[in-house]
Amino acid sequence: MPAVGGFDKGNGKEYPGNLTPYVLVTCIVAAMGGLIFGYDIGISGGVTSMPSFLKKFFPSVYRKQQANESTNQYCQYDSETLTMFTSSLYLAALLSSLVASRVTRQFGRKLSMFFGGILFLAGALLNGFAKAIWMLIVGRLLLGFGIGFANQSVPLYLSEMAPYRFRGALNIGFQLSITVGILIANVLNYFFNKIHGGWGWRLSLGGAMVPALIITVGSMILPDTPNSIIERGRHEEAREELRKVRGVDDVDEEFNDLVAASEASRQVEHPWKNLLQKKYRPHLTMAILIPFFQQFTGINVIMFYAPVLFNTIGFGSDASLMSAVITGIVNVVATMVSIYGVDKWGRRFLFLEGGVQMLICQAVVAACIGAKFGIDGNPGELPKWYAIVVVLFICIYVAGFAWSWGPLGWLVPSEIFPLEIRSAAQSVNVSVNMLFTFLVAQVFLNMLCHLKFGLFLFFAFFVLVMSFFIYFFLPETKGIPIEEMGRVWKTHWFWSRYVGEDDFVPGGNVEMHKGSNATKNV
């Protein structure tokens, strides 16, 4: 491990605990919260390439698509209203994640998941029965509110429940269920598009009720995390829950550290304001830059608009939906690779390997599309081998993302935050993620129209920058107990200038005066 990102584990604590069937089932059920996000990403790109859906709600796009096959393919989907349909959800998710922070902190992770499920359910119903464009947009906003709550609480829940040695694998369950949601949506789009009468899109959009019900019911039967129970002052209940979660009776050391973290957390009246303190500079930087970079890999462009994109590069409507199914399968399989390797190979290795893989693929795809479509976007006849090459490299690109920036973009921020800023910092993480998801979704079709094949080079540039950022500024967090995470910053070549020896002392990952519960101001 290079010195720029590695660190010496020193005399860190190792809490006893096993991967019990209880915690495994609990984490699997909680991770299902990712289904609603994944299903939506997959479904929205699919329905916006269905002619019957476009004809009903976006007739101008439908006419442009049908008018002349030889026109500029880059610009056939360029419509502000169509883009607003897709991206309005992410604006709503951004706003709701800020509210979700308070709910998650004061009432627990479970209630936040429950709200997410209920709001998503309402949005799915409205979209399934939509008669006018306003019903679609309002439905999308409700879906977004639901996703904001779920994405705020689920990664925190998983990081807090998992034994530290298995935290990476269990947390990536969230990303795995996102990819499964995308795959299910792509498969359903493929078959629903074949329904005669052109109403298959209603089933696609209304089908979001199923993942919504899974997370709603799941949140009612899940236990709360020991951290969350302690935060609400129920210490004995938390100790019992910790014993069940860890599968051992000797949980005193970890329990005492959690209580110490909670006591210091209570002293923090304004966690948002607290985030600006010098000692939290590395946490705030990661909470902003990791989700920013995750969106600027260009992955959501591929996933939202895979059918539209494949349609644009010359596949028929059916074939483009099938290509999206193929990328969806690659996504799921590659995420499983990440689950296997994240606690063996470490976070940094996966980030860097995935970055190199995505960079190469984006350059190749840009060259392929540029060679055939040129500047005018009129490709003429596309040979079959060309289509196979484009899909192949897009699949290798998706695989690179799915075992690096995809899961780690959620895992790393959720495991590095101390308890006293955890809910607020996770809200920053989700908000930045949703803000840039919104911006990328809002301008993508316009950028495709103007940048043409250069769009892939635009994202390739960001992949290069983010790989350098990881190499120099992200320490390895593999195998560190979540309440002990403070020490990775103290030994880092850059962040040690912001985090002092007295910050995040063992015994709660928080900074405290000796013999006092008052937090020390920096």
Side-chain angles (χ1 to χ4, degrees):
M1 186 65 65
V4 288
F7 77 99
D8 176 20
K9 288 191 179 182
N11 298 313
K13 298 180 182 180
E14 294 192 3
Y15 302 126
N18 305 308
L19 183 59
T20 60
Y22 176 76
V23 81
L24 189 60
V25 171
T26 298
C27 287
I28 288 170
V29 173
M32 291 294 171
L35 278 177
I36 62 177
F37 191 26
Y39 186 87
D40 183 81
I41 289 172
I43 224 71
S44 48
V47 295
T48 51
S49 72
M50 291 183 185
S52 56
F53 177 79
L54 292 173
K55 190 175 180 181
K56 183 171 180 64
F57 294 107
F58 306 98
S60 63
V61 177
Y62 177 74
R63 284 193 299 272
K64 202 188 297 184
Q65 192 188 39
Q66 300 297 311
N68 187 353
E69 291 296 325
S70 67
T71 56
N72 187 340
Q73 297 291 300
Y74 290 123
C75 297
Q76 64 171 333
Y77 288 97
D78 187 15
S79 157
E80 293 301 321
T81 328
L82 178 62
T83 309
M84 182 52 79
F85 162 73
T86 302
S87 58
S88 56
L89 177 146
Y90 301 97
L91 207 53
L94 188 163
L95 296 172
S96 71
S97 67
L98 300 175
V99 178
S101 163
R102 185 168 287 273
V103 174
T104 305
R105 184 178 165 92
Q106 293 190 347
F107 303 104
R109 285 59 168 146
K110 274 180 58 167
L111 192 65
S112 201
M113 286 187 231
F114 178 76
F115 282 160
I118 292 293
L119 288 163
F120 200 84
L121 188 63
L125 279 168
L126 199 56
N127 272 353
F129 290 108
K131 297 282 186 192
I133 189 74
W134 70 265
M135 291 177 76
L136 277 184
I137 302 291
V138 172
R140 295 285 293 169
L141 290 172
L142 286 170
L143 293 174
F145 289 139
I147 283 172
F149 272 94
N151 285 12
Q152 212 280 338
S153 49
V154 172
L156 288 188
Y157 185 95
L158 293 169
S159 282
E160 291 179 349
M161 286 298 265
Y164 71 92
R165 291 193 303 278
F166 305 102
R167 188 177 61 243
L170 290 175
N171 191 289
I172 290 174
F174 176 67
Q175 177 68 16
L176 180 65
S177 68
I178 291 177
T179 62
V180 168
I182 293 171
L183 177 59
I184 290 169
N186 287 337
V187 171
L188 291 179
N189 278 336
Y190 180 73
F191 288 107
F192 290 158
N193 191 41
K194 295 177 179 293
I195 293 175
H196 294 295
W199 52 273
W201 61 267
R202 290 194 184 277
L203 294 177
S204 288
L205 294 177
M209 288 187 292
V210 177
L213 284 170
I214 290 172
I215 186 60
T216 306
V217 174
S219 67
M220 290 193 281
I221 60 172
L222 286 173
D224 228 330
T225 68
N227 312 57
S228 181
I229 299 169
I230 289 169
E231 270 192 291
R232 284 170 287 149
R234 306 203 301 268
H235 287 200
E236 279 314 304
E237 185 186 333
R239 191 191 292 270
E240 275 311 303
E241 186 57 39
L242 192 59
R243 284 191 182 120
K244 281 171 75 177
V245 168
R246 298 293 176 252
V248 293
D249 288 330
D250 178 23
V251 294
D252 289 347
E253 187 178 22
E254 184 174 5
F255 177 75
N256 291 336
D257 283 356
L258 292 177
V259 170
S262 178
E263 289 300 323
S265 174
R266 283 174 191 277
Q267 312 297 323
V268 179
E269 290 180 21
H270 306 290
W272 291 96
K273 194 174 169 185
N274 226 48
L275 268 174
L276 300 176
Q277 287 185 21
K278 184 180 175 184
K279 64 177 177 178
Y280 298 125
R281 201 65 49 79
H283 309 83
L284 188 59
T285 303
M286 297 301 162
I288 293 170
L289 286 183
I290 287 179
F292 166 79
F293 283 140
Q294 189 191 45
Q295 293 316 308
F296 277 82
T297 56
I299 188 65
N300 277 350
V301 168
I302 300 289
M303 287 304 173
F304 282 157
Y305 297 110
V308 171
L309 194 64
F310 287 130
N311 218 333
T312 298
I313 57 177
F315 294 66
S317 179
D318 241 17
S320 66
L321 288 171
M322 193 64 224
S323 303
V325 171
I326 293 165
T327 55
I329 291 169
V330 170
N331 203 3
V332 171
V333 173
T335 304
M336 289 177 176
V337 172
S338 187
I339 288 175
Y340 171 79
V342 70
D343 291 316
K344 283 187 172 65
W345 308 323
R347 282 63 161 156
R348 282 169 51 81
F349 172 80
L350 287 174
F351 264 132
L352 294 171
E353 193 283 332
V356 171
Q357 192 168 320
M358 287 190 290
L359 187 63
I360 293 167
C361 291
Q362 279 166 326
V364 172
V365 169
C368 286
I369 294 177
K372 270 291 171 188
F373 286 77
I375 303 299
D376 62 0
N378 185 357
E381 195 63 39
L382 286 172
K384 193 174 181 182
W385 67 263
Y386 171 84
I388 290 169
V389 168
V390 172
V391 172
L392 177 67
F393 274 95
I394 283 180
C395 283
I396 297 171
Y397 162 82
V398 168
F401 176 85
W403 59 53
S404 64
W405 280 90
L408 301 180
W410 294 106
L411 165 63
V412 172
S414 73
E415 69 182 358
I416 62 172
F417 304 137
L419 184 63
E420 68 269 26
I421 59 161
R422 194 168 294 157
S423 289
Q426 180 66 2
S427 273
V428 172
N429 180 41
V430 174
S431 299
V432 172
N433 195 303
M434 293 304 150
L435 173 64
F436 286 100
T437 305
F438 168 77
L439 290 174
V440 170
Q442 190 65 29
V443 302
F444 163 66
L445 291 174
N446 206 294
M447 286 172 74
L448 180 63
C449 186
H450 292 93
L451 285 178
K452 304 172 174 60
F453 61 87
L455 182 63
F456 290 92
L457 297 177
F458 171 82
F459 288 120
F461 167 75
F462 279 100
V463 171
L464 186 64
V465 172
M466 67 187 74
S467 297
F468 277 112
F469 171 78
I470 293 297
Y471 183 80
F472 287 108
F473 296 107
L474 182 73
E476 183 56 74
T477 56
K478 176 186 76 171
I480 314 280
I482 195 168
E483 299 303 336
E484 285 277 299
M485 198 63 74
R487 59 194 160 97
V488 304
W489 311 111
K490 296 179 194 177
T491 52
H492 189 270
W493 73 275
F494 181 78
W495 298 120
S496 56
R497 67 191 71 179
Y498 296 100
V499 181
E501 277 305 312
D502 296 333
D503 296 330
F504 313 120
V505 291
N509 200 20
V510 286
E511 180 188 355
M512 302 172 72
H513 285 308
K514 287 177 182 170
S516 164
N517 278 345
T519 50
K520 175 181 166 190
N521 291 321
V522 173

